[in-house]
Amino acid sequence: MKKSNNSRRQFLQQSSMAGLALVSASSWSTSFSSSQVAQAELGKRIGIIGLDTSHVTAFTKALNAPETSQYAGYKIVAAYPRGSKDILSSTERIPAYTTEVQKYGVEIVSSIQDLLTKVDVVMLETNDGRLHLEQALEVLKAGKRMFIDKPIAASLKDAEAIFAASEKYKVPVFSASSLRFSPSAQEIRAGKVGKVIGADAYSPMKIEKTHPDLFWYGIHGVETLFTMMGTGCKQVNRYINEEQEVVVGVWNDGRIGTFRGLKNGKQEYGGTAFGSNSVAHLGPYGGYDPLLLKIIEFFQTGIPPVSKEETLEIFAFMEAADASKNQQGAKVNLADMYSKK
């Protein structure tokens, strides 16, 4: 994996745009001088929407670190702090996270429209998926490529609408959990165990009452499952007790994949892939760097590393799991979850 990471980083460095003008040093906070970080080139200025998740401080520290080279010169230059309006665990974070990103030279703006005049690409980081469609539409209408942090929306219907707008305005988007790009998950995706004939994945399952059960945190484990299994899930049913929940998915070719949501006890992320050649267990979490590299590559090329079809199927899986819960664990077809056209 080290060799492939080096190749990816060389690609990103070699594809840097030459001859572009530099942003004036006045756009940086005086507490973070230009001697500490390279100025962002035009075309490589990132804007953030929503400062209510720890992802924004982690991403800013990585991208705006002095003398960093693996991110092809992309820097976070501006942020619109407003995220969730009523989720306390999110709203209470905004003041501290705003102060923190300012230390790295990030300008704080008062609106998304103001942000869009100062940046070339966008990370939509608002923790509240209910706001994503409204916020994403402003970005798409402005023609800016965008990464949308999980969950892409708080409903499958809104996720479908975001992709429809992406196609309408011809602006690519993608969304993913960082767990998708953990090295061990990507090795399985690439064929390490041969054909994956089944897989189990697990993650913490914190529930936020404003979102369907799996959307808030269970999505990490669900996306891990789909990273190993790929698309083609046709039906699910869900089993629930006080300690954990298990969602069993059956794929079109008969393969079975499960997601186990951990509500109590030790909170970890992981999984197992059962392949035609071998069995593999997912390794430790790989941090944010693999995801950031994919985001930067997407900003460079406009090619999403996760397909629309796979993202929508993940959300259909999670909504079908809720429907199964409401039907006392009955089997639910994913096809019934999609908007009828």
Side-chain angles (χ1 to χ4, degrees):
M1 291 301 293
K2 184 176 181 181
K3 182 176 179 181
S4 63
N5 283 340
N6 288 338
S7 298
R8 187 187 298 116
R9 292 177 182 183
Q10 289 172 359
F11 163 76
L12 293 173
Q13 292 166 355
Q14 290 169 357
S15 58
S16 297
M17 300 179 203
L20 294 173
L22 297 178
V23 178
S24 168
S26 63
S27 65
W28 296 97
S29 167
T30 55
S31 64
F32 202 70
S33 67
S34 58
S35 64
Q36 293 175 293
V37 64
Q39 294 171 305
E41 295 178 2
L42 296 175
K44 299 185 177 184
R45 302 169 302 170
I46 302 173
I48 286 180
I49 297 173
L51 295 179
D52 60 350
T53 168
S54 60
H55 290 187
V56 298
T57 55
F59 292 171
T60 303
K61 289 176 182 178
L63 290 166
N64 288 18
E67 301 179 2
T68 188
S69 60
Q70 68 264 40
Y71 304 119
Y74 279 80
K75 301 291 178 183
I76 296 171
V77 301
Y80 170 61
R82 185 171 179 178
S84 180
K85 300 173 183 177
D86 58 3
I87 299 175
L88 183 60
S89 63
S90 294
T91 59
E92 65 185 9
R93 296 174 176 178
I94 294 174
Y97 288 164
T98 299
T99 299
E100 184 67 19
V101 300
Q102 284 179 303
K103 295 176 182 177
Y104 291 85
V106 177
E107 179 184 355
I108 304 302
V109 300
S110 60
S111 69
I112 293 176
Q113 286 302 313
D114 189 16
L115 179 82
L116 294 173
T117 67
K118 301 173 183 291
V119 304
D120 307 298
V121 292
V122 171
M123 290 180 168
L124 202 172
E125 295 294 326
T126 301
N127 217 16
D128 189 342
R130 294 172 299 170
L131 302 179
H132 283 183
L133 175 57
E134 175 187 349
Q135 294 176 329
L137 284 174
E138 292 193 64
V139 180
L140 294 171
K141 290 176 182 178
K144 313 274 186 187
R145 292 174 184 172
M146 174 173 47
F147 165 72
I148 305 176
D149 217 328
K150 62 83 192 165
I152 190 173
S155 68
L156 174 59
K157 181 180 179 181
D158 275 8
E160 291 176 308
I162 287 172
F163 282 114
S166 170
E167 294 171 358
K168 175 181 178 179
Y169 295 108
K170 297 180 172 56
V171 181
V173 300
F174 93 95
S175 180
S177 162
S178 58
L179 283 127
R180 170 180 288 274
F181 298 110
S182 293
S184 58
Q186 287 298 304
E187 287 174 350
I188 291 168
R189 181 89 170 194
K192 178 181 179 180
V193 300
K195 178 184 177 181
V196 175
I197 59 177
D200 302 327
Y202 58 86
S203 75
M205 190 180 164
K206 301 173 185 177
I207 293 177
E208 164 53 48
K209 64 182 180 180
T210 60
H211 288 60
D213 289 355
L214 274 64
F215 280 50
W216 190 249
Y217 225 84
I219 187 173
H220 288 301
V222 175
E223 185 148 7
T224 299
L225 176 64
F226 274 81
T227 302
M228 294 187 287
M229 291 284 289
T231 57
C233 184
K234 67 177 182 179
Q235 68 182 34
V236 305
N237 58 303
R238 179 174 170 184
Y239 302 90
I240 302 173
N241 64 31
E242 292 182 1
E243 301 296 330
Q244 58 199 333
E245 303 197 8
V246 176
V247 182
V248 179
V250 178
W251 267 245
N252 291 324
D253 55 6
R255 296 181 301 147
I256 297 174
T258 68
F259 161 70
R260 183 181 298 269
L262 306 175
K263 297 190 287 190
N264 295 305
K266 181 67 174 178
Q267 303 288 286
E268 291 188 352
Y269 306 87
T272 303
F274 304 95
S276 57
N277 299 332
S278 63
V279 174
H281 304 290
L282 293 177
Y285 173 54
Y288 292 121
D289 188 61
L291 172 61
L292 280 174
L293 289 170
K294 284 294 186 182
I295 293 171
I296 298 304
E297 186 175 331
F298 164 71
F299 286 158
Q300 293 268 64
T301 66
I303 301 172
V306 184
S307 71
K308 172 189 76 172
E309 290 76 17
E310 184 159 345
T311 297
L312 291 178
E313 190 169 311
I314 287 170
F315 279 73
F317 179 100
M318 295 191 295
E319 286 205 353
D322 259 18
S324 178
K325 172 186 174 180
N326 294 334
Q327 298 173 41
Q328 292 73 50
K331 293 179 181 178
V332 175
N333 294 323
L334 267 67
D336 295 335
M337 299 297 103
Y338 293 96
S339 299
K340 305 303 180 184
K341 298 180 180 180

